[in-house]
């Protein structure tokens, strides 16, 4: 049997923990007796307030209004933006950990950010008004309050629903059935008794009072919109606000699940937050639901369709999968926005025949079919279907008199434009560009008096366009003085092409050479072509007709394809091909070799593609002609909108420096990893979801700097990275990467800086600590666990292990004289070596004389805390404490909080602690725990075979 080695400090520490466990189960006893769970906020209250709230909950079957507001405030940590100017802003910076990804985000700490006075000393029951609090409205006050709901303005650009500020009187409820007991809580207006016989009979059958108005002191309105709040999603106890009519929390940073039920809620807006899940159960009055840009990924739950009064729905900007719900029973639905999701399947007849539906946006999904049978519809004002995979013909009966907007660009539609379009007398926008439609343009279009936008390019339309269509309201994008409108700005005629399918203010359509002589029976004779069929005779981008694209023409193409007319004024000479024909003379951002070859393009933050609202639809960015710049060594386009890179990047075989950070990239071409001369690559702050870093990174043997931080990258670090012996700086921080650090990284003997913070990495790190040239190691906010390695490279100046799972004493090697910055907070370390805390050392600036201990500049002592884990430290409030030095918070510690770190070391990682350990009964679900009938812990039994004493106590 292994020797039992327990040092004195470890024995004392464990003794303190066990003593603290005694007598702290009162909350658990009350919870078991009352048969309802007690939220953490309630547990944090002082004894008097705690007893009052428990008594209220038992009497009325719900939590008081003040308690619910307290729970909301309790979950909010601060704001995303600074509220006031602070002299010492570092003291006000906090860190928010994402509950799913584990990634950390900074925020500004502010106590009671909502300015709600809900302190224990000022406790008032529901009999008192809470209506003076910011963002809170009650009863009659709410009748004249302003609220937000989402609509779709048919006169806008047709991009979809928009939230507008509207003023609307709140209708009095038809009927509220109130238990007589609630008259002890709520004060009703004198004329609130219902006179409706049906209401009287309905409530009377339940022995309740029939009311037709809101109570004067009932919370009916919560508006926290746009406050940039950071924290967890509203608690489900919000459902205890029985008269809540409007709940608006959009444009914040609240994360978690939302569960609402049994409410008279009519308006709900949670856009711009992050929903892990949601449940809307029995909300019979809900009229407006806005959940845009909340990162929802699952399918729409079945309970969603059980909302009979719903009129406005916006679920856009999420990742919702599956088929479109049937919305059975939702006959009042008027506005539906499901754009920018992942819906698949057909657009059903049932959806198109919803009796009140007028505004429908299904763009940017993966929908494949229209219903092809004849079916009657009416009322539609706007139908937006762009960026799907819809095939087949457009149903002719979609074109009714009320229709104002029809957009279906970038699909696979075939057939002709229905002549029934003449019935759409109100039509202002019609765009079917980038499809496979055929035939000619119906003459009936010429008679649509309100038509302001016509998009027909990139199809297979033949024939000619009547001159009557070339009128100013269809040709908008020009300045009549400096850039007069061109005839072809609506569509290129037969035998001509332009990359946009129509002329621009600076470039007319160009003739397709194969079609120039004979205009009969040629495939290139379609209207609005974006290229010519015979690529061997027509070279895209060949402006001077010499049969190839030179470097100056490449710059002109970049200007044309990336909204050059909106760039910073200094760079607009790129578009002046006539007066600036030489790429190496007078071109800002360009450097050339002595031989006259273009070697460097540096145009960060100039506004590439800044004016194209549908860039993802047309896949703009760098044009493929970039591949003609064979001598290019530096490409810096940071802070522009590229979306993706063309495969022709593989032709840039001399490229050494590639800076594409902040470019909204969503993918990388395999060609990138074939550029073997690359020395520096920065792809940070993009949208590169997925396993982006392939084994081929090992081919980049000259690479010295590789950065891809804050780009949503997941996957593992490939072992082939160990072949990049030249690597000096590696930054993969703030992503979703996981797995262990490959042992091959021990070969990176030139590595000086490694930044892996805010990921999910785990496993051993000894080989990283031993790299002899290492100066900066940042591993904070990962899942590294176990003892801190006992060896450290002698040149390390900055070591950050904050927020991991390291356990045990800090090793003596950290006494290195080179070390100036050391972050160990939010781990489970016991103590520091005494020599690390002695005077003369300047780690983290050295001791600050706070009086909380000689090592507080490295770790706050137990019983104090700070967001950094080191000084300046703050003593815990009375009744609160923590378990480890370097803690970032103080709490009421219960049995589970104290036992979890101990037993998680005793048992294997995959079986302990139990899932949701803080929400289950310790006495029945925790292995090795024995309790008495009052659920007080009697004993802890741990199998000796499971214990590694050195690991637990050393």
């Amino acid at each position: 049997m292994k020797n039992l080695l327990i040092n004195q400090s470890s024995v004392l520490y464990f003794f303190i923990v066990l003593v603290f466990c005694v007598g702290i189960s009162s909350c658990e006893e009350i919870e078991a007796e009352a048969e309802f769970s007690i939220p953490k906020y309630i547990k944090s209250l002082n004894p008097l307030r705690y007893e009052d709230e428990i008594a209220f909950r038992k009497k009325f079957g719900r939590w008081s209004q003040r308690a619910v507001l307290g729970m909301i405030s309790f979950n909010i940590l601060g704001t995303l933006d600074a509220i006031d100017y602070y002299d010492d802003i570092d003291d006000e910076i906090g860190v928010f950990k994402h509950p799913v990804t584990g990634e950390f985000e900074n925020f500004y700490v502010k106590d009671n950010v909502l300015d709600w006075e809900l302190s224990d000393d000022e406790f008032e029951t529901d009999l008192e008004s809470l209506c003076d609090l910011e963002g809170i409205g009650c009863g009659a006050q709410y009748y004249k309050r302003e609220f937000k709901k989402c609509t779709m303005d048919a006169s806008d650009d047709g991009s979809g629903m928009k939230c507008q500020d509207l003023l609307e009187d709140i209708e009095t409820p038809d009927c509220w059935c109130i238990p007589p007991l609630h008259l002890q809580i709520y004060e009703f207006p004198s004329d609130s008794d219902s006179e409706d016989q049906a209401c009287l009979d309905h409530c009377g059958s339940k022995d309740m009072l029939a009311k037709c108005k809101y109570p004067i002191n009932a919370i009916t309105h919560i508006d926290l919109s746009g406050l940039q709040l950071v924290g967890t999603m509203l608690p489900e106890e919000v459902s205890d606000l029985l008269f809540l009519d409007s709940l608006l929390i959009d444009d914040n940073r609240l994360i978690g699940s939302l569960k609402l039920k049994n409410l008279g809620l009519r308006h709900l807006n949670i856009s711009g937050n992050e929903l892990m899940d949601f449940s809307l159960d029995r909300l019979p009055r809900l009229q407006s639901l806005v959940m845009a840009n909340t990162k929802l990924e699952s399918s729409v739950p079945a309970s969603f369709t059980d909302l009979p009064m719903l009129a406005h729905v916006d679920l856009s900007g999420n990742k919702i999968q599956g088929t479109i719900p049937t919305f059975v029973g939702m006959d009042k639905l008027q506005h539906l926005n499901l754009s920018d999701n992942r819906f698949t399947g057909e657009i059903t007849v049932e959806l198109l025949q919803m009796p009140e539906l007028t505004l429908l946006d299904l763009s940017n999904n993966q929908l494949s079919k229209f219903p092809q049978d004849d079916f009657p519809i009416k009322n539609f004002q706007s139908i937006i279907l762009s960026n799907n995979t819809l095939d087949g013909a457009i149903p002719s009966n979609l074109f009714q008199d009320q229709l104002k907007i029809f957009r279906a660009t970038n699909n696979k539609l075939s057939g002709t434009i229905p002549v029934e379009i003449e019935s759409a007398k109100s039509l202002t926008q019609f765009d079917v560009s980038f499809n496979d439609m055929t035939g000619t343009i119906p003459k009936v279009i010429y008679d649509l008096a309100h038509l302001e936008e016509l998009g027909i390019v990139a199809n297979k339309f033949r024939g000619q366009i009547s001159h009557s269509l070339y009128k100013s309201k269809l040709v908008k994008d020009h300045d009549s003085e400096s850039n007069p409108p061109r005839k072809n700005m609506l569509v290129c005629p037969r035998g001509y092409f332009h990359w946009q399918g129509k002329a621009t203010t600076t470039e007319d359509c160009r003739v397709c050479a194969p079609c120039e002589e004979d205009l009969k029976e040629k495939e290139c004779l379609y209207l609005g072509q974006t290229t010519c069929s015979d690529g061997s005779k027509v070279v895209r981008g060949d402006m001077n007709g010499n049969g190839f694209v030179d470097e100056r023409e490449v710059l002109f193409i970049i200007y044309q394809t990336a909204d050059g007319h909106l760039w910073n004024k200094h760079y607009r000479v790129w578009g002046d091909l006539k007066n600036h024909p030489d790429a190496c003379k007078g071109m800002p951002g360009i450097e050339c070799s002595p031989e006259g070859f273009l070697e460097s393009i540096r145009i960060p933050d100039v506004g590439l593609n800044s004016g194209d609202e549908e860039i993802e639809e047309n896949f703009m960015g760098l044009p493929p002609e970039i591949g003609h710049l064979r001598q290019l060594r530096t490409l810096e386009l940071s802070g522009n909108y590229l979306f993706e890179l063309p495969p022709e990047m593989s032709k840039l075989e001399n490229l050494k420096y590639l800076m594409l950070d902040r470019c909204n990239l969503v993918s990388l071409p395999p060609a990138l990893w074939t550029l073997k001369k690359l020395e520096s690559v920065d792809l940070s702050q993009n949208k590169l979801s997925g396993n982006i870093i392939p084994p081929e990174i090992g081919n980049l043997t000259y690479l010295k700097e590789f950065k891809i931080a804050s780009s949503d990258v997941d996957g593992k670090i490939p072992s082939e990275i160990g072949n990049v012996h030249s690597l000096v700086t590696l930054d993969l921080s703030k992503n979703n990467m996981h797995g262990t650090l490959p042992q091959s990284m021990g070969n990176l003997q030139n590595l000086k800086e490694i930044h892996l913070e805010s990921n999910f990495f785990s496993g051993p790190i000894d080989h990283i600590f031993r790299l002899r040239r290492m100066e900066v190691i940042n591993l904070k906010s990962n899942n590294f666990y176990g003892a801190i390695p006992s060896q450290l490279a002698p040149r390390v100046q900055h070591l950050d292990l904050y927020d991991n799972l390291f356990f045990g004493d800090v090793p003596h090697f950290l006494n290195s004289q080179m070390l100036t910055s050391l972050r160990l907070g939010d781990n489970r370390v016991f103590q520091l070596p005494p020599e690390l805390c002695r005077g003369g050392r300047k780690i983290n600036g050295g001791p600050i004389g706070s009086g909380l201990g000689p090592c507080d500049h490295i770790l706050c002592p137990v019983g104090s805390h700070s967001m950094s884990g080191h000084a300046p430290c703050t003593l815990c409030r009375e009744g609160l404490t923590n378990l480890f030095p370097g803690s970032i918070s103080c709490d009421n510690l219960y049995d589970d909080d104290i036992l979890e770190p101990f037993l998680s070391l005793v048992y294997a990682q995959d079986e302990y602690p139990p899932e949701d350990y803080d929400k289950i009964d310790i006495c029945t679900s925790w292995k090795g725990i024995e309790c008495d009938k009052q659920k007080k812990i009697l004993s802890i039994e741990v199998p000796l075979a499971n214990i590694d004493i050195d690991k637990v106590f050393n």
Side-chain angles (χ1 to χ4, degrees), residues 189 235 424 449 525 769 790 824 879 924:
L525 294 186
F769 273 44
S790 59
L824 301 173
T924 59

Side-chain angles (χ1 to χ4, degrees), residues 546-740:
N546 60 6
F548 65 90
V549 179
D550 60 33
E551 291 180 338
R552 180 61 184 92
E553 289 171 333
V554 172
L555 300 183
F556 181 77
I557 294 170
I558 295 175
Y559 178 88
Q560 285 287 336
T561 59
D563 289 323
H565 64 289
L566 298 176
W567 291 8
N568 297 347
K569 187 175 181 180
H570 180 59
Y571 294 91
R572 293 183 189 175
V573 296
W574 283 39
D576 189 354
L577 190 62
K578 180 178 179 181
N579 296 317
H580 295 83
D582 192 333
C584 296
K585 294 181 180 180
M587 299 293 290
I590 299 300
E591 296 178 9
C592 294
S593 68
E595 296 77 21
F597 293 109
L598 196 156
E599 283 191 335
S600 173
I601 298 177
R602 295 179 181 270
I603 52 171
D605 300 292
V606 300
L608 267 72
N609 300 303
S610 60
D612 191 346
E613 296 180 355
E614 296 183 353
I615 181 172
E616 297 188 14
E617 172 184 340
N618 298 320
F619 296 100
M620 293 182 179
L622 284 180
E625 286 77 12
I626 191 74
H628 290 288
L629 304 179
R630 300 298 177 87
Q631 301 301 317
L632 191 65
R633 296 189 178 187
T634 300
L635 181 60
E636 181 180 356
L637 301 175
S638 306
N640 291 293
Y641 201 143
L642 299 182
F643 187 58
E644 66 179 15
L645 302 175
E648 287 78 6
M649 289 283 292
S650 63
K651 299 177 181 180
L652 305 180
E653 53 192 27
N654 289 300
L655 195 64
K656 291 185 176 182
Y657 307 101
L658 181 63
M659 282 74 80
L660 300 178
D661 54 294
R662 299 177 292 115
C663 287
N664 287 281
L665 291 170
V666 299
S667 63
L668 297 176
L672 178 64
W673 312 105
T674 66
L675 302 177
K676 296 184 179 181
K677 293 185 180 181
L678 280 173
E679 295 182 12
S680 178
V681 175
D682 191 348
L683 301 169
S684 301
Q685 298 184 55
N686 283 290
K687 300 177 181 179
L688 300 168
S689 59
N691 190 356
I692 293 296
I693 306 175
E696 287 75 16
I697 192 174
N699 298 330
L700 309 183
T701 54
Y702 291 95
L703 192 63
K704 296 179 180 179
E705 183 179 61
F706 184 67
K707 297 180 179 180
I708 193 169
S710 303
S711 294
D712 291 331
V713 176
D714 55 31
K716 300 180 179 181
I717 299 176
S719 61
E720 288 79 2
I721 199 171
N723 298 332
V724 190
H725 296 160
S726 57
L727 198 61
V728 175
T729 301
L730 177 64
D731 189 350
L732 308 178
S733 59
K734 297 181 181 179
N735 284 296
N736 300 314
M737 302 187 70
H738 60 277
T740 59

Side-chain angles (χ1 to χ4, degrees), residues 96-127:
F96 178 71
K97 187 174 184 179
H98 194 288
V100 175
T101 67
E103 183 175 341
F104 275 72
E105 302 176 20
N106 292 330
F107 68 94
Y108 290 88
V109 179
K110 186 176 186 296
D111 292 335
N112 193 19
V113 66
L114 294 174
D115 292 325
W116 289 353
E117 294 296 336
L118 299 168
S119 66
D120 293 347
D121 296 336
E122 301 177 4
F123 169 63
E124 302 170 2
T125 68
D126 278 10
L127 289 172

Side-chain angles (χ1 to χ4, degrees), residues 143 168-174 212 214 245 266 285 287:
Y143 296 165
E168 179 176 301
D169 289 334
I170 299 301
E171 299 174 0
T172 55
D174 297 329
C212 64
Y214 292 111
D245 186 282
R266 294 200 304 150
R285 300 177 187 269
Q287 296 178 15

Side-chain angles (χ1 to χ4, degrees), residues 98-168:
H98 194 288
V100 175
T101 67
E103 183 175 341
F104 275 72
E105 302 176 20
N106 292 330
F107 68 94
Y108 290 88
V109 179
K110 186 176 186 296
D111 292 335
N112 193 19
V113 66
L114 294 174
D115 292 325
W116 289 353
E117 294 296 336
L118 299 168
S119 66
D120 293 347
D121 296 336
E122 301 177 4
F123 169 63
E124 302 170 2
T125 68
D126 278 10
L127 289 172
E128 302 295 337
S129 173
L130 301 172
C131 306
D132 294 332
L133 299 180
E134 180 181 356
I136 302 299
C138 296
Q141 291 184 7
Y142 180 39
Y143 296 165
K144 297 182 180 180
R145 277 184 176 265
E146 186 175 301
F147 71 97
K148 291 181 178 181
K149 70 178 181 180
C150 272
T151 64
M152 186 185 294
D153 184 357
S155 64
D156 68 7
D157 62 0
S159 59
M161 291 186 183
K162 294 186 176 180
C163 290
Q164 301 172 332
D165 292 330
L166 301 176
L167 194 66
E168 179 176 301

Side-chain angles (χ1 to χ4, degrees), residues 41 105 190 218 264 279 281 354 431 486 505 510 541 569 578 661 682 695 744 753 785 822-823 868 895 911 953:
Y41 167 73
E105 302 176 20
S190 58
S279 173
D281 189 17
M354 298 195 72
D431 195 345
R486 299 177 185 270
T505 56
R510 296 184 63 233
K569 187 175 181 180
K578 180 178 179 181
D661 54 294
D682 191 348
S744 64
E753 294 190 23
Y785 59 87
L822 175 63
R823 297 193 68 195
S868 64
D895 295 351
E911 61 177 301
F953 291 111

Side-chain angles (χ1 to χ4, degrees), residues 69 547 694 864 907 917:
L69 295 187
S864 66
Y907 291 95
Y917 68 88

